[in-house]
Structure formats: C-alpha cells, structure tokens
Amino acid sequence: MGTTTTQGVKVTVTTNYLPDYSSPGQQHYVFAYKINIQNNSEFTVKLLRRHWYIHDSNGVVREVEGEGVVGQQPVLEPGEAHEYVSGCNLKSGIGKMRGTYLMERLVDGKQFNVVIPEFVLIVPYKLN
C-alpha cells in the first residue's frame, strides 16, 4: 500500500493479483488496484484527468492518459473521498505504476497535479 498527499489531496493505493483472470503460460498477469482519493483541503476539487506510467519488468513502459477515472470526473467537497477499482495487465508478472491526477479547485479554476504514489504489482509466488 502506498499513500501520498499533494495540496491536501491524499491518494492511497492497494493492489491485488487476480489469478483467475491471468494466464502465466501465455505471459498474461492481471492485477487490480483500488484507489482512495481523500480531499483534506479546504477547497472543493474536481478530478479532470489521469496520467499513468506502467513499467513491466521486461523493460516495456506504457503511458496512459485520459479524462477522469473509470468514466467519472468526481467532485470532492472538503472531507469527502472517492474510491474506485481498476486494473492492469503485465507480461512479466512483476512491475510498477506511478502517475498523477490533474485536479481543479472549483472556487478559482486553479489546476494542479496530485501525485499518485508509485506502487508495485507482483505475482505473490514470484516473491519466493
């Protein structure tokens, strides 16, 4: 689990390997990650965009950018949180992700990047 806070917006990530959706023989490993975004600032904020870097231990790096998260652009009042689950696939069974959310303060339209903490994706049996 990883946590970061940027300008009062706290991001916490937890991950799970999904063996029922994976096919190690075909080099296909699927992971789920749950993200909790907590607005601890004094301003209402809106999540506009996401920007991810996905590193596979085989040397491949993918970059993913787009609007919102899982089809939503949540608005968070001070003290509110938004949680969602998404997924990622790797070819090696070991990798990591990191990124940012582009947020906007609704009171004045100021935009800022919130850091998503780097987190590791690893098939449990590869730890031995």
Side-chain angles (χ1 to χ4, degrees), residues 2 7 21 46 67-68 80 93 105-106:
Q7 294 191 34
Y21 296 94
K46 180 177 183 178
E67 286 190 3
E80 285 187 336
R105 289 191 334 198
L106 295 187

Side-chain angles (χ1 to χ4, degrees), residues 21-122:
Y21 296 94
S22 300
S23 300
Q26 282 80 40
Q27 297 181 327
H28 182 76
Y29 302 89
V30 180
F31 298 86
Y33 55 89
K34 180 167 58 173
I35 298 196
N36 181 283
I37 304 165
Q38 174 79 38
N39 182 9
N40 294 326
S41 78
E42 59 188 73
F43 303 103
T44 301
V45 297
K46 180 177 183 178
L47 192 156
L48 301 175
R49 300 184 66 77
R50 71 193 181 287
H51 188 176
W52 287 106
Y53 293 95
I54 305 164
H55 299 258
D56 203 324
S57 67
N58 64 5
V60 174
V61 179
R62 292 178 285 167
E63 190 173 353
V64 178
E65 189 174 9
E67 286 190 3
V69 290
V70 291
Q72 299 178 341
Q73 290 183 313
V75 173
L76 302 172
E77 299 287 339
E80 285 187 336
H82 178 77
E83 191 167 84
Y84 72 94
V85 175
S86 191
C88 174
N89 64 304
L90 298 174
K91 291 192 175 290
S92 69
I94 300 173
K96 63 184 178 181
M97 290 178 64
R98 63 182 173 85
T100 56
Y101 295 125
L102 178 63
M103 307 288 276
E104 179 180 41
R105 289 191 334 198
L106 295 187
V107 68
D108 59 8
K110 180 182 178 195
Q111 295 183 358
F112 60 100
N113 283 313
V114 171
V115 174
I116 304 166
E118 183 173 282
F119 56 94
V120 175
L121 303 166
I122 185 164

